[in-house]
Amino acid sequence: MTLGNKIAWDDTVLPFQLDNSDIRGRVARLDGVLHGILKQHAYPPVVEALVAEMALLTALIGQSIKLRWKLSLQVQTNGPVRMIATDYYGPSEEGEPARIRAYASFDEERLTDGDGFAQLGNGYFAVLIDQGEGMQPYQGIAPLVGGSLAASAEGYFAQSEQLPTRFSLKFGKSTEAGGEEHWRAGGVMLQHMPKASPFASGEGGSGEGGTLTASDLLFEDDEENWNRANILLNSVEELELIGPSVTPADLLVRLFHEEAPRVFDAQAVKFGCSCSEDKVRQSLSIYSSRDIEKMTTAEGWVTADCQFCGTHYQLDPKTVGLEAEKARKASEQ
């Protein structure tokens, strides 16, 4: 695999279908996206790993949303890592890259020597889809289960969507010859086609806390096909997911050649934030001049920082707030 091919497949999501198994899926590789996300913050390594895993899940899940839609994943917990939030912005036009951003909120003094999932405690995994102005946003919530964010995402799809779903993810710091150490991630997502949904019962599932699992949703040939595809996916190696030597298309042939894999157009992704000065002004437009005065710094500015990209906004207090917004609208009439 040439360097040019490697770069071409970095920061992409490749959708595919296994025609002999009635299963669809995606392969993702993230490099520059993770660098763009993580360089904005000085996260401890255990928090970086959680953000990397969440960003990879976001890329794999988000590829299915339509143009100009927004997918958000959120984890809220009572543990040392209180929140992880990611956004996936669908391309504005066909052929354009999607954008991903992410951040985490945590109590550093409460972090332990345990792995990433041990820093979460009790909480939930949420999926939100914004279809645009005038449309009701969709929201689904499932508990954190299974010892990883990937397992929690699988639980969400089984519980909220009744879609058997499997993730195989690898992520970590990588160093190539002559290069600097940086985060890199790769993964495969499998999902049974939606026809399985009507068979789920309402009596609870076999998963942790009575949650539904794939085995509760599939029967007979569908179950056999799903189990076979998962056994094949279990053979994937770390370097095949994140390394430079195997393209995603070649990986699919290696894993699933007997399942008749069929690939579709790859979706490019990049780090990107949607914050702007106009959005900061809009968020401040509900506050009275007295409130704005309380927010004003000793230097005479109202300031705001984007949690995702770290951009610092410094605004004249006379130009923000409820009264300033009313005056601006009156002047435009």
Side-chain angles (χ1 to χ4, degrees):
M1 183 177 181
T2 66
L3 178 61
N5 282 337
K6 170 186 173 295
I7 293 173
W9 282 112
D10 280 352
D11 298 320
T12 62
V13 184
L14 179 68
F16 66 90
Q17 184 167 311
L18 305 180
D19 287 340
N20 289 348
S21 305
D22 217 15
I23 290 170
R24 61 191 175 189
R26 288 152 219 144
V27 182
R29 288 209 178 130
L30 301 185
D31 189 287
V33 170
L34 292 183
H35 178 69
I37 289 171
L38 296 173
K39 75 175 183 179
Q40 314 297 330
H41 309 275
Y43 293 139
V46 70
V47 179
E48 285 187 317
L50 286 168
V51 174
E53 182 179 8
M54 194 77 156
L56 183 54
L57 287 170
T58 303
L60 288 164
I61 298 171
Q63 186 277 332
S64 65
I65 69 171
K66 297 182 179 180
L67 295 177
R68 294 178 289 278
W69 285 16
K70 173 185 172 185
L71 168 85
S72 299
L73 302 185
Q74 288 186 12
V75 166
Q76 296 268 7
T77 88
N78 63 358
V81 178
R82 299 186 301 270
M83 171 190 280
I84 310 171
T86 64
D87 291 324
Y88 178 105
Y89 296 91
S92 299
E93 303 291 341
E94 290 284 358
E96 292 186 357
R99 293 175 294 142
I100 298 177
R101 64 179 189 172
Y103 85 95
S105 175
F106 63 99
D107 295 322
E108 188 162 10
E109 64 276 6
R110 294 177 59 201
L111 294 175
T112 70
D113 294 331
D115 64 13
F117 198 76
Q119 315 303 320
L120 299 180
N122 296 320
Y124 63 82
F125 182 96
V127 175
L128 303 93
I129 299 178
D130 183 351
Q131 302 177 38
E133 187 175 351
M135 299 295 291
Q136 185 71 24
Y138 164 84
Q139 177 175 311
I141 296 177
L144 290 173
V145 295
S148 69
L149 292 175
S152 299
E154 292 170 0
Y156 160 78
F157 278 106
Q159 195 71 24
S160 297
E161 306 290 335
Q162 296 195 349
L163 287 176
T165 306
R166 164 82 187 282
F167 294 94
S168 180
L169 311 181
K170 294 294 181 182
F171 45 90
K173 291 185 177 181
S174 172
T175 305
E176 298 174 10
E180 296 181 356
E181 185 179 60
H182 63 287
W183 278 89
R184 189 169 172 82
V188 176
M189 174 183 179
L190 296 181
Q191 194 166 67
H192 202 280
M193 301 298 256
K195 70 175 185 178
S197 300
F199 296 102
S201 71
E203 299 177 356
S206 59
E208 183 179 330
T211 56
L212 293 171
T213 67
S215 62
D216 301 315
L217 300 169
L218 296 172
F219 304 92
E220 299 177 349
D221 289 347
D222 288 337
E223 184 176 18
E224 182 179 339
N225 290 338
W226 179 254
N227 290 339
R228 186 175 65 251
N230 276 266
I231 290 171
L232 294 172
L233 182 55
N234 288 340
S235 71
V236 73
E237 299 178 0
E238 182 173 4
L239 286 178
E240 289 181 306
L241 290 177
I242 64 175
S245 59
V246 182
T247 70
D250 288 343
L251 173 60
L252 292 174
V253 172
R254 206 282 288 171
L255 290 174
F256 304 116
H257 63 277
E258 295 182 355
E259 306 303 315
R262 180 158 48 107
V263 300
F264 303 95
D265 292 337
Q267 173 63 60
V269 293
K270 67 177 184 178
F271 168 72
C273 193
S274 64
C275 72
S276 67
E277 183 174 312
D278 285 344
K279 289 184 178 180
V280 174
R281 291 183 178 278
Q282 184 177 3
S283 68
L284 293 171
S285 64
I286 62 173
Y287 295 102
S288 68
S289 57
R290 181 174 298 179
D291 293 327
I292 295 297
E293 184 178 355
K294 294 177 182 177
M295 300 177 191
T296 304
T297 67
E299 292 76 21
W301 300 100
V302 173
T303 62
D305 296 299
C306 177
Q307 294 173 302
F308 288 96
C309 70
T311 300
H312 179 73
Y313 294 96
Q314 186 170 279
L315 306 174
D316 183 343
K318 296 178 182 178
T319 66
V320 295
L322 182 61
E323 287 84 352
E325 182 67 12
K326 289 180 178 179
R328 183 189 65 80
K329 289 182 178 180
S331 67
E332 294 176 351
Q333 295 178 348

